[in-house]
Amino acid sequence: MLVLGVESSCDETGAALVDDAGRVHADVVHSQVHVHAPYGGVVPELASRDHLRNIEPVLRAALSEARVDLAQVDGIAVTNRPGLVGALLVGVQAAKGLAWAAGKPLVGVDHLMGHVLAAFLRRGDADAAVPCFPFVCLLASGGHTAIYRVDAPRVDALRELGATRDDAAGEAFDKVAKLLGLGYPGGPVVDRLAATGNASRVKLSAPMASSDSPEMSFSGIKTQVSRLVGQGQARTEADTADVCAAFQAAVTAVLARKTIAAAVREGVDDVVLGGGVAANRELRRRVLDLAAPRGIRVAIPPLASCTDNAAMIAYAGAMRLSRGERDGWDLVATSRTALERTTRKGGGRR
Ligand code: KG4
Ligand code: ZN
């Protein structure tokens, strides 16, 4: 089964062709980073307009890269939640138009489900380990940070064990980078600078770090960094690198420890990372270091599968299509996820 995936939930326009074994036949991503960089974050109206400009060329490029035409595709999967509604609508309308014109089945995909299943994508690395169900997944992106237990590739077979009570981990990287004058998006540049810094020269504490709870909080550490900047502790490049190193160490230690603790508690042997923050080298290292002595296998997707892409949407869609699921022309775009949420923003379980 070959599925065309379409993604436009935030600031990446994507189209991809993926089969139900996870093999990526084409994966085209047009990034809008340059559009939003001057504003230090994603501007929703600009995102919608840029998706409109790029959706057709991106779709054409993906079909041409996979050397197929629409008639050879078995179904179309599109991100319809969560995200910026104006941005989502561009992909949803394009997917509906194509599905209607070519007479193909259509399924909506929850973007978060795409991140959770991204570890199943095969990009020419046929030997890479495939995670086994059930697994514990740490999903850490710019908009969401949660730890899930996943029993099957279905939204209703996924349980949120804990999530952030406030900012997402990626959001914290972006805000800290902005405070330090490092530009947007913050994750990659903080990752790079942290490698040259000395974390022990800066005192930062991650909230809820010692607690056994899989719930997290990342807004307090951003406030601590803001205070350091106000005190002039990040004036030189070397000082800035030290702050990056301390911030990254605190955040990745919490993410890694809570993820592995959740896997131990759930009695599962597999841990999966997903979302843009899974691209972070220190996070990857910490998770691997904690997992190895406990006999836990870790699946970390390659960079292109961690950040937003349509291949993960196509694969999540292939799982729905292969179960015979279909959506109608009344499929709507919505800002909220369909995944179970137990952690309340602001704190406490639902
Ligand atoms: O999954 P993603 O591409 O988009 C969302 O669905 O949000 O994640 C983007 C987020 C941004 O906050 C970005 O700063 C962060 O992932 N990110 C990183 C790294 N690369 C991207 N965070 C830490 N370290 C990285 N190397
Ligand atoms: Zn994402």
Side-chain angles (χ1 to χ4, degrees):
M1 177 188 284
L2 188 65
V3 176
L4 170 64
V6 183
E7 157 66 36
S8 69
S9 64
C10 191
D11 58 347
E12 258 100 29
T13 317
L17 287 131
V18 175
D19 61 35
D20 54 351
R23 213 156 67 81
V24 179
H25 297 245
D27 182 18
V28 177
V29 178
H30 169 83
S31 170
Q32 302 181 353
V33 160
H34 60 286
V35 173
H36 304 290
Y39 306 95
V42 177
V43 183
E45 177 63 22
L46 295 182
S48 306
R49 292 181 197 198
D50 203 64
H51 284 306
L52 266 179
R53 268 192 296 275
N54 291 291
I55 189 80
E56 194 187 327
V58 163
L59 281 160
R60 283 188 194 284
L63 288 164
S64 134
E65 192 179 305
R67 293 198 183 84
V68 293
D69 57 40
L70 217 45
Q72 292 164 275
V73 165
D74 297 298
I76 299 178
V78 61
T79 306
N80 73 313
R81 64 197 306 176
L84 303 167
V85 172
L88 287 163
L89 274 172
V90 177
V92 168
Q93 292 306 114
K96 281 185 186 174
L98 290 178
W100 184 79
K104 301 293 178 183
L106 173 76
V107 283
V109 168
D110 192 295
H111 180 84
L112 304 188
M113 200 63 196
H115 278 306
V116 167
L117 298 180
F120 290 88
L121 294 173
R122 293 285 151 266
R123 297 177 183 269
D125 49 352
D127 298 336
V130 178
C132 297
F133 292 101
F135 59 78
V136 159
C137 176
L138 167 67
L139 195 175
S141 72
H144 299 268
T145 295
I147 299 171
Y148 298 104
R149 177 190 169 105
V150 187
D151 285 280
R154 292 195 321 267
V155 167
D156 63 356
L158 182 146
R159 192 154 51 83
E160 186 195 280
L161 301 171
T164 178
R165 293 178 169 186
D166 40 59
D167 292 355
E171 190 179 352
F173 272 92
D174 294 337
K175 286 179 176 170
V176 161
K178 197 170 180 177
L179 285 168
L180 296 171
L182 300 173
Y184 174 85
V189 52
V190 170
D191 190 345
R192 200 166 55 243
L193 270 179
T196 67
N198 180 351
S200 64
R201 293 191 45 211
V202 180
K203 204 169 151 35
L204 282 179
S205 57
M208 304 182 67
S210 55
S211 149
D212 256 357
S213 158
E215 294 192 1
M216 296 161 274
S217 164
F218 298 109
S219 74
I221 191 164
K222 167 201 68 193
T223 310
Q224 292 178 60
V225 171
S226 160
R227 203 170 304 130
L228 289 178
V229 172
Q231 292 164 351
Q233 289 191 46
R235 282 211 188 96
T236 67
E237 200 175 310
D239 288 347
T240 303
D242 292 344
V243 173
C244 286
F247 163 77
Q248 183 173 283
V251 170
T252 57
V254 169
L255 290 171
R257 193 151 34 72
K258 295 202 176 209
T259 302
I260 297 301
V264 170
R265 233 178 358 255
E266 292 295 316
V268 305
D269 297 326
D270 285 68
V271 159
V272 168
L273 303 190
V277 181
N280 187 272
R281 291 170 293 174
E282 185 168 352
L283 176 64
R284 292 170 173 240
R285 183 172 52 67
R286 284 183 186 271
V287 171
L288 289 168
D289 285 353
L290 290 178
R294 294 168 176 84
I296 293 173
R297 287 183 296 264
V298 184
I300 309 179
L303 222 61
S305 299
C306 287
T307 51
D308 284 352
N309 64 86
M312 66 187 193
I313 303 304
Y315 180 72
M319 296 298 98
R320 289 201 61 198
L321 287 162
S322 60
R323 291 193 295 267
E325 298 173 16
R326 306 282 184 266
D327 281 312
W329 304 127
D330 56 352
L331 178 72
V332 290
T334 156
S335 59
R336 298 179 68 84
T337 179
L339 270 55
E340 182 199 52
R341 290 167 71 193
T342 54
T343 301
R344 239 187 261 269
K345 282 258 176 187
R349 297 183 76 77
R350 276 175 207 275

